[in-house]
Amino acid sequence: MSGEWLLRLDSSLSPRPTRPATIGPIAGGRSLVVGRDPSRCDVVLDSAAFPGLISRQHATIVLEESGPVLRDSSLNGVGVDGGRTARGEAQHVPLRDGSTLVFGVRGSATEFVYRVAQRQTEADPQATAIAPEGSEEIHTL
């Protein structure tokens, strides 16, 4: 599956330095490491309200031939489309356009909710187009 993939912050949440509006792009077999340790991660997520909620190296998202895959390496797990990865077990979860990822606690205290989106490229005209928003911060590799 060609094209680039993004994670976009849920519209009910406001971006901040440790909660970017857009994460990615993820393309061409590259991986993106998400966690709270800036020396180990491409994208840093962190919570002042719940220190340690996000693992030092929480998860890696890899673009495989079949599409993006989440590799959970956290202790607290990752919510994926209403389910949850098992605590402390290395999980490999296929993602799709529209998948919802929740890093950290669920419910009213959830700080990190992202939606997976495929960005249209010339090589993949059937991909879902995403209109950029002027004030978004985009983290690229």
Side-chain angles (χ1 to χ4, degrees):
M1 193 175 266
S2 63
E4 295 180 331
W5 294 79
L6 302 169
L7 301 182
R8 296 179 62 96
L9 185 65
D10 186 88
S11 62
S12 67
L13 301 170
S14 299
R16 61 176 192 245
T18 57
R19 183 172 63 198
T22 304
I23 297 173
I26 306 159
R30 298 190 75 178
S31 63
L32 185 72
V33 180
V34 178
R36 74 171 194 271
D37 184 346
S39 69
R40 299 164 109 184
C41 300
D42 301 305
V43 177
V44 176
L45 300 180
D46 204 2
S47 170
F50 302 101
L53 171 71
I54 302 297
S55 295
R56 286 184 289 266
Q57 189 170 327
H58 204 89
T60 302
I61 301 168
V62 179
L63 184 57
E64 297 182 350
E65 289 207 18
S66 60
V69 173
L70 174 85
R71 295 180 182 166
D72 181 15
S73 52
S74 70
L75 291 177
N76 292 323
V78 177
V80 180
D81 293 331
R84 193 103 180 131
T85 60
R87 272 185 164 208
E89 295 180 18
Q91 298 284 315
H92 295 224
V93 180
L95 303 173
R96 60 176 175 70
D97 191 33
S99 286
T100 300
L101 301 179
V102 179
F103 299 93
V105 295
R106 298 169 83 166
S108 62
T110 299
E111 289 189 59
F112 305 100
V113 180
Y114 285 87
R115 304 240 187 280
V116 177
Q118 187 174 18
R119 182 161 61 181
Q120 184 172 350
T121 64
E122 290 180 29
D124 190 0
Q126 299 301 314
T128 304
I130 298 174
E133 296 176 22
S135 63
E136 287 191 354
E137 180 179 350
I138 297 179
H139 291 258
T140 59
L141 295 175

